[in-house]
């Protein structure tokens, strides 16, 4: 029939790549180079062992090689003849942390430097490559976890160029490509983790992410040294999770692999003597507690921010001003949905506190709900824990904002004095 299968005919699948042409490769290209080297998706495949620092170009025919040699010899003679003048143009000083990648007549050459190097005019195009360690950050992005949670996660990445030639030949925009690759690798790996795994295993996830990025960037001559994940906040708790959201303070750069007293010392340096994690349920929680000065929750409960303000006014003193030395403004969201402002000025004199905005520009602006404010001053929520969980928004220096802990400590000391019974004198 017209559309039927002819008798004795067998259908064959079409090839998935173009057939190799058997025609002559041309006058200036070696015929062996077409069969000897296969394309692997990289722009430096015409130099087969560039990653092994072998720059022998086997794709040239003998005629092309002779022409290049003649042109190079003529330019070299011209440079020598005009040396007093040409020295200002052909001699380059390369420091130890840089290399020069040159292309002679369009073909890549071994990297030059450090020291004084010769760059031939007219036939060599060159580019400097910095080998020092550099860093970039991935802005916080929202990632949906495996258990249905939504977290805002960023990363700080340090890298260096280990092969300057590959960094120039293999990729057009190295920085942009590295940023995009790191962001995609981070998102792909975090999609397979739960919220709790992300918060508890940030160090391990950073190491795994470093391996993933290096697998993709090493062919570009780039090597990642360190990846540090930063969990900004948990935007949505996991679905059907028996445990409440876990709040873990961010690791201190250089100490994220250590635990226990080292992390407590780092948190104390930031202005918090101990970070206690808020518990939203009866499940397991993780907390950092200062063993010498355990957290003692206040017995007296404040019903509103106005009552808390009245208590703070009693505590104001010149000693507290000397310890803090900053003006705080609190933008509080009340239970009925309205917003109000309070201020605590501990910058001069004996300090002032009241409703409204201060008469000077505040050093720190804090925004939170009334419930979190009361919990913070009652001892069940530490300022640093509230900040890392996203319940406290800070405008200003974070280290100065954590000095609010001094006001909370002063309130607890006053409450302990009132609770301590006095023995009658006999």
């Amino acid at each position: 029939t017209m559309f039927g299968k002819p008798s004795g005919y067998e259908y064959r699948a079409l090839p998935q790549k173009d057939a190799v042409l058997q025609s002559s490769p041309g006058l200036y290209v070696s015929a062996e180079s077409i069969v000897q080297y296969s394309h692997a998706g990289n722009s430096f495949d015409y130099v087969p062992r560039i990653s092994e620092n072998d720059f022998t170009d086997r794709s040239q025919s003998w005629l092309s090689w002779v022409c290049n040699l003649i042109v190079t010899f003529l330019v070299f003679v011209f440079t020598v003849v005009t040396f007093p003048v040409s020295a200002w143009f052909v001699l380059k000083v390369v420091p130890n942390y840089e290399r020069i990648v040159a292309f002679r007549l369009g073909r890549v050459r071994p990297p030059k430097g450090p020291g004084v190097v010769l760059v031939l005019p007219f036939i060599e195009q060159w580019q400097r490559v910095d080998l020092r360690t550099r860093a970039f950050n991935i802005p916080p992005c929202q990632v949906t976890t495996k258990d249905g949670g939504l977290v805002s996660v960023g990363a700080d990445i340090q890298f260096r160029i280990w092969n300057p030639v590959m960094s120039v030949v293999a990729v057009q925009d190295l920085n942009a490509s590295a940023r995009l690759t790191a962001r995609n690798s981070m998102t792909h790996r975090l999609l397979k983790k739960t919220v709790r795994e992300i918060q508890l295993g940030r160090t391990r996830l950073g190491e795994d992410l470093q391996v993933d990025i290096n697998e993709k960037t090493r062919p570009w001559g780039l090597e990642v040294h360190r990846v540090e994940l930063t969990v900004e906040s948990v935007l949505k708790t996991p679905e059907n999770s028996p445990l409440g959201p876990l709040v873990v303070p961010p690791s201190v750069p250089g100490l994220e692999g250590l635990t226990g007293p080292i992390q407590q010392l780092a948190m104390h340096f930031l202005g918090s003597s101990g970070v206690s994690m808020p518990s939203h349920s009866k499940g397991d929680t993780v907390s950092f507690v200062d063993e010498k000065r355990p957290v003692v929750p206040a017995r007296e409960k404040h019903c509103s921010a106005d009552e808390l303000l009245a208590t703070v006014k009693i505590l104001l003193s010149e000693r507290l001003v000397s310890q803090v030395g900053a003006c705080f403004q609190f933008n509080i969201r009340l239970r009925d949905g309205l917003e109000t402002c309070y201020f605590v000025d501990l910058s001069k004199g004996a300090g002032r506190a009241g409703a409204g905005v201060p008469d000077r520009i505040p050093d720190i602006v804090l925004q939170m709900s009334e419930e979190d404010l009361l919990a913070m001053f009652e001892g069940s929520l530490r300022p640093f824990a509230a900040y890392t969980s996203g319940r406290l928004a800070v405008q200003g220096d974070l280290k100065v904002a954590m000095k609010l802990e001094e006001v909370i400590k002063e309130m607890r000391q006053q409450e302990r004095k009132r609770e301590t019974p006095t023995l009658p004198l006999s």
Side-chain angles (χ1 to χ4, degrees):
T1 60
M2 181 180 299
F3 300 99
K5 177 181 178 182
S7 59
Y9 183 82
E10 181 181 357
Y11 290 112
R12 295 181 181 180
L14 293 175
Q16 299 299 321
K17 58 181 179 180
D18 296 338
V20 178
L21 298 178
Q22 300 298 330
S23 60
S24 173
L27 182 62
Y28 298 99
V29 181
S30 173
E32 298 178 355
S33 64
I34 297 183
V35 182
Q36 184 176 1
Y37 310 119
S38 61
H39 181 69
N42 297 321
S43 59
F44 50 84
D45 288 335
Y46 64 89
V47 183
R49 287 182 288 272
I50 190 173
S51 60
E52 302 173 6
N53 293 326
D54 183 4
F55 294 87
T56 304
D57 193 348
R58 300 174 178 84
S59 63
Q60 279 186 293
S61 64
W62 65 271
L63 184 56
S64 176
W65 180 79
V66 171
C67 291
N68 289 341
L69 187 61
I70 294 174
V71 174
T72 303
F73 176 75
L74 294 177
V75 173
F76 184 79
V77 171
F78 173 80
T79 304
V80 173
V81 172
T82 61
F83 180 73
V85 178
S86 62
W88 296 96
F89 305 97
V90 299
L91 296 181
K92 308 294 180 182
V93 179
V94 182
N96 285 326
Y97 55 85
E98 285 185 353
R99 296 295 184 271
I100 284 183
V101 178
F103 293 85
R104 180 176 299 175
L105 295 174
R107 297 182 181 273
V108 68
R109 304 290 297 172
K112 299 181 180 182
V116 179
V117 300
L118 175 66
V119 178
L120 296 178
F122 309 123
I123 62 173
E124 283 191 354
Q125 291 79 34
W126 57 278
Q127 177 179 343
R128 291 182 183 266
V129 178
D130 197 331
L131 303 182
R132 291 175 292 185
T133 299
R134 286 175 282 178
F136 65 87
N137 69 309
I138 302 176
C141 57
Q142 298 180 6
V143 179
T144 303
T145 58
K146 183 175 66 175
D147 54 356
L150 184 64
V151 295
S152 178
V153 184
D156 297 326
I157 298 177
Q158 297 180 0
F159 70 97
R160 72 176 184 92
I161 294 177
W162 68 275
N163 193 313
V165 176
M166 295 171 64
S167 67
V168 174
V169 177
V171 61
Q172 181 179 9
D173 191 341
L174 184 64
N175 292 329
S177 301
R179 289 175 182 270
L180 182 61
T181 300
R183 181 186 179 95
N184 293 339
S185 299
M186 182 188 71
T187 304
H188 180 71
R189 177 162 288 275
L190 295 183
L191 287 175
K192 303 177 182 179
K193 302 295 182 180
T194 63
V195 174
R196 190 168 293 271
E197 290 174 346
I198 293 175
Q199 292 180 318
L200 289 178
R202 284 180 299 171
T203 303
R204 179 62 181 273
L205 286 175
E207 296 173 354
D208 296 340
L209 185 58
Q210 177 180 345
V211 175
D212 294 344
I213 299 175
N214 279 329
E215 290 179 356
K216 301 173 183 175
T217 59
R218 281 192 65 85
W220 302 343
L222 183 147
E223 183 180 16
V224 174
H225 278 318
R226 180 187 177 199
V227 177
E228 182 183 356
L229 290 179
T230 55
V231 181
E232 297 292 332
S233 62
V234 178
L235 304 178
K236 179 183 177 183
T237 57
E239 299 176 356
N240 301 324
S241 176
L243 301 179
L246 178 66
V247 179
V248 179
S251 57
V252 180
L255 301 178
E256 59 279 331
L258 304 176
T259 56
I262 299 298
Q263 288 189 0
Q264 295 182 14
L265 180 61
M267 294 306 166
H268 179 75
F269 176 76
L270 290 176
S272 176
S273 61
V275 180
S276 177
M277 302 305 152
S279 177
H280 296 275
S281 63
K282 297 182 180 180
D284 298 333
T285 58
V286 175
S287 60
F288 297 89
V289 180
D290 189 345
E291 297 178 356
K292 293 184 179 180
R293 289 180 292 179
V295 177
V296 180
R299 297 183 180 179
E300 180 182 354
K301 301 295 182 180
H302 301 280
C303 298
S304 65
D306 294 330
E307 296 180 4
L308 179 62
L309 180 64
T311 305
V312 172
K313 289 181 178 180
I314 303 176
L315 304 177
L316 298 179
S317 63
E318 295 182 357
R319 181 178 62 85
L320 192 60
V321 171
S322 62
Q323 293 177 355
V324 179
C327 179
F328 299 87
Q329 176 179 329
F330 298 86
N331 296 334
I332 305 301
R333 298 187 302 272
L334 302 179
R335 295 181 178 88
D336 54 3
L338 301 178
E339 292 189 2
T340 185
C341 294
Y342 300 92
F343 71 91
V344 177
D345 189 358
L346 299 175
S347 60
K348 59 183 180 179
R352 295 174 57 249
V357 296
D359 54 1
R360 50 159 295 186
I361 299 177
D363 300 308
I364 302 297
V365 178
L366 307 174
Q367 185 173 359
M368 70 186 78
S369 64
E370 186 178 15
E371 293 83 355
D372 293 337
L373 177 66
L374 298 177
M376 186 182 303
F377 278 87
E378 290 168 359
S380 59
L381 178 63
R382 290 298 182 96
F384 199 82
Y387 172 75
T388 56
S389 62
R391 301 164 65 178
L392 171 63
V394 178
Q395 297 181 8
D397 190 356
L398 178 60
K399 187 176 180 180
V400 177
M402 292 302 106
K403 291 184 178 180
L404 185 64
E405 184 75 16
E406 300 296 333
V407 182
I408 300 176
K409 290 179 183 178
E410 186 71 19
M411 179 179 294
R412 294 175 189 166
Q413 292 177 1
Q414 295 295 332
E415 292 175 352
R416 292 192 189 102
K417 290 180 180 179
R418 290 197 299 266
E419 293 174 357
T420 302
T422 56
L423 299 177
L425 298 177
S426 57

